[in-house]
Amino acid sequence: MKELYLYARSLMGIEIGSLGFVMDHFNGQWREIVDGLHSTFRRIPNLQIVGEDQQQDELQYILDNVKTPSHLYIFANTIEGLPLKIPMTIEKLIIQYGSWITLDYVMSLKVRNFSLWNTNLTNEDINVIFKSWMEMKSHQNMKGFKINLTNRADFVKDGLKDIPYKMRPSITEL
């Protein structure tokens, strides 16, 4: 693949725009693959990582050594379920299995657009995130934020507590 890519790049002068890792397919070879990519590609704008029950250190190795993407999609979970160190230059981040994500972790993110799924963040945590953003204490460059609600029924009461908002009519009322 490396030779094919280098040949295509020399003919067409193009770079790879997107790369997907399916970690389940290359047991134990991740370091070699990532090191090869690191020496071949100048930059990979879009990186998607997929896998079930992966080793934390292998997933983190990919994040640490693939030349920083602008869009990072992590659809892999780890056996250890520990926080991941995300490069600060990411423009868009999607994490599918975020049970390890804490309020402090979200508050430390410098990402412009992020989607966090399957977290255990509460409506009160989401309220803290919103308030901090509205008061320009955090996420000053944020353009988009999506998160699953662990308790939909109390979101308005707890998630939007002390935040001015307007309810629009539901689609069925129109």
Side-chain angles (χ1 to χ4, degrees):
M1 287 301 292
K2 181 178 176 179
E3 288 178 25
L4 176 63
Y5 169 73
L6 292 173
Y7 180 67
R9 186 173 74 183
S10 71
L11 289 178
M12 297 179 265
I14 59 171
E15 297 290 329
I16 283 206
S18 184
L19 178 65
F21 278 107
V22 181
M23 293 184 72
D24 299 329
H25 295 170
F26 298 100
N27 286 339
Q29 296 178 325
W30 282 109
R31 292 185 192 274
E32 296 166 33
I33 293 168
V34 169
D35 292 344
L37 290 170
H38 190 71
S39 67
T40 305
F41 300 107
R42 295 180 189 128
R43 183 174 177 273
I44 299 170
N46 299 303
L47 176 62
Q48 183 180 87
I49 305 169
V50 178
E52 291 261 340
D53 298 326
Q54 299 301 313
Q55 295 291 326
Q56 181 86 19
D57 63 332
E58 289 182 6
L59 179 54
Q60 191 62 57
Y61 190 83
I62 294 170
L63 295 174
D64 292 343
N65 291 287
V66 171
K67 293 179 180 148
T68 308
S70 59
H71 294 88
L72 177 60
Y73 309 100
I74 303 173
F75 301 115
N77 64 340
T78 62
I79 296 167
E80 299 86 349
L82 299 172
L84 296 169
K85 295 176 196 130
I86 305 294
M88 291 296 170
T89 57
I90 303 295
E91 185 173 318
K92 183 176 184 179
L93 172 67
I94 297 175
I95 297 176
Q96 177 67 35
Y97 302 103
S99 62
W100 50 268
I101 294 174
T102 64
L103 177 60
D104 288 338
Y105 187 87
V106 173
M107 297 306 286
S108 72
L109 287 174
K110 304 293 184 218
V111 179
R112 295 180 77 179
N113 295 287
F114 53 98
S115 299
L116 308 172
W117 305 110
N118 301 303
T119 72
N120 294 318
L121 294 173
T122 66
N123 290 334
E124 291 82 3
D125 293 334
I126 295 170
N127 181 269
V128 170
I129 296 165
F130 284 159
K131 282 184 178 179
S132 177
W133 173 69
M134 290 172 65
E135 294 168 0
M136 298 187 73
K137 293 180 181 175
S138 67
H139 303 101
Q140 294 176 5
N141 295 324
M142 183 170 66
K143 288 189 173 189
F145 172 59
K146 295 179 184 177
I147 192 165
N148 66 290
L149 299 178
T150 54
N151 182 353
R152 288 179 183 260
D154 292 332
F155 176 72
V156 172
K157 179 178 70 116
D158 298 331
L160 297 178
K161 181 180 178 185
D162 301 326
I163 295 176
Y165 65 91
K166 286 185 182 179
M167 295 290 284
R168 68 177 189 192
S170 69
I171 294 173
T172 57
E173 291 176 18
L174 295 176

